[in-house]
Amino acid sequence: MDISPYNIRKNSIITIAGTVGVGKTTMTKRLAETLRFQASFEQVDVNPYLHLFYEDFKSWSFHLQIYFLTERFKEQKRIYDAGGGFIQDRSIYEDADIFARMHYENGTMTEIDYQTYINLFEAMVLTPYFPKPDLLIYLDGPLDYIIDRIHKRGRSMEMKTPDQYWIELHSRYEKWIHQFNLCPVLNLNIKEYNLNDQTSLEYIVKKIEKCIKKTDAN
């Protein structure tokens, strides 16, 4: 039985992407509730490397990225084995194309570690057997607005991080999304909607409907 009241395939996998501070977790939660899909969240609180990484990028960037790759791969497999109907907080592609590459190019990940990571990523993810999302929703907005949101939420690890890190990260995300072509992309400006407003949420769902529609087979 199709549990969603919207014209969206019930087995769809929708991934939310975007730089730190754009509201991926909130979007994941609200869309899952609205579409009656399951939600898959990034487990930040149980990550054993994250606090170490923010203290010392160079010592822990490789460990952190390997951890993320492993956990996201397992979660991706769980989602597809469940048969779809998921909203996913962050994509597996961002780790390789943005974070790992940034640390390598900035000298906070060695060439050996980077190549090891990339080899693992390509063997695990960039194969015909690894299913892709049906839609990637990319959240973006003015850089100063995003940095202000990061400051206001007051996470201790993020507060210790210089703004230059967020500036560079945002720039890399902008370049990445213009080259991303593994699945359809829906771009949303975070200043143009309010997820606490049902009308605004319905507007977003209508956009999703245009990207992922039901078929007779569903």
Side-chain angles (χ1 to χ4, degrees), residues 189-213:
N189 188 317
I190 61 176
K191 293 201 74 175
E192 295 178 356
Y193 60 79
N194 176 6
L195 293 179
N196 293 317
D197 176 64
Q198 190 60 31
T199 301
S200 186
L201 195 57
E202 292 284 342
Y203 171 75
I204 294 171
V205 171
K206 289 296 182 184
K207 285 181 171 290
I208 296 173
E209 283 183 325
K210 293 180 180 179
C211 301
I212 309 176
K213 292 184 178 180

Side-chain angles (χ1 to χ4, degrees), residues 14-26:
I14 301 173
T15 297
I16 312 299
T19 192
V20 175
V22 292
K24 294 183 295 295
T25 299
T26 303

Side-chain angles (χ1 to χ4, degrees), residues 29-142:
K29 181 179 178 181
R30 296 290 285 124
L31 280 181
E33 292 170 348
T34 301
L35 299 178
R36 302 178 193 173
F37 279 16
Q38 296 185 67
S40 172
F41 294 105
E42 186 176 33
Q43 300 298 321
V44 174
D45 294 339
V46 298
N47 188 318
Y49 294 109
L50 198 58
H51 70 287
L52 297 169
F53 164 77
Y54 275 107
E55 293 288 341
D56 186 348
F57 288 176
K58 192 168 186 177
S59 295
W60 297 102
S61 62
F62 177 71
H63 301 74
L64 180 68
Q65 292 308 316
I66 291 295
Y67 179 86
F68 275 137
L69 177 60
T70 303
E71 293 303 307
R72 288 199 220 285
F73 185 86
K74 290 192 299 183
E75 181 64 5
Q76 201 81 359
K77 185 177 185 303
R78 182 186 76 84
I79 289 172
Y80 285 109
D81 286 348
F86 274 85
I87 309 294
Q88 183 181 27
D89 180 2
R90 194 188 289 278
S91 77
I92 197 170
Y93 308 106
E94 294 158 79
D95 288 317
D97 294 338
I98 297 175
F99 290 91
R101 179 176 295 175
M102 178 173 69
H103 286 293
Y104 167 62
E105 292 178 351
N106 288 347
T108 50
M109 184 184 291
T110 67
E111 183 173 359
I112 293 174
D113 285 347
Y114 180 66
Q115 289 303 323
T116 298
Y117 173 84
I118 291 298
N119 288 339
L120 281 170
F121 177 84
E122 291 179 349
M124 295 167 68
V125 179
L126 298 185
T127 72
Y129 313 105
F130 187 82
K132 301 175 180 63
D134 295 285
L135 177 67
L136 184 140
I137 299 178
Y138 179 69
L139 307 183
D140 193 21

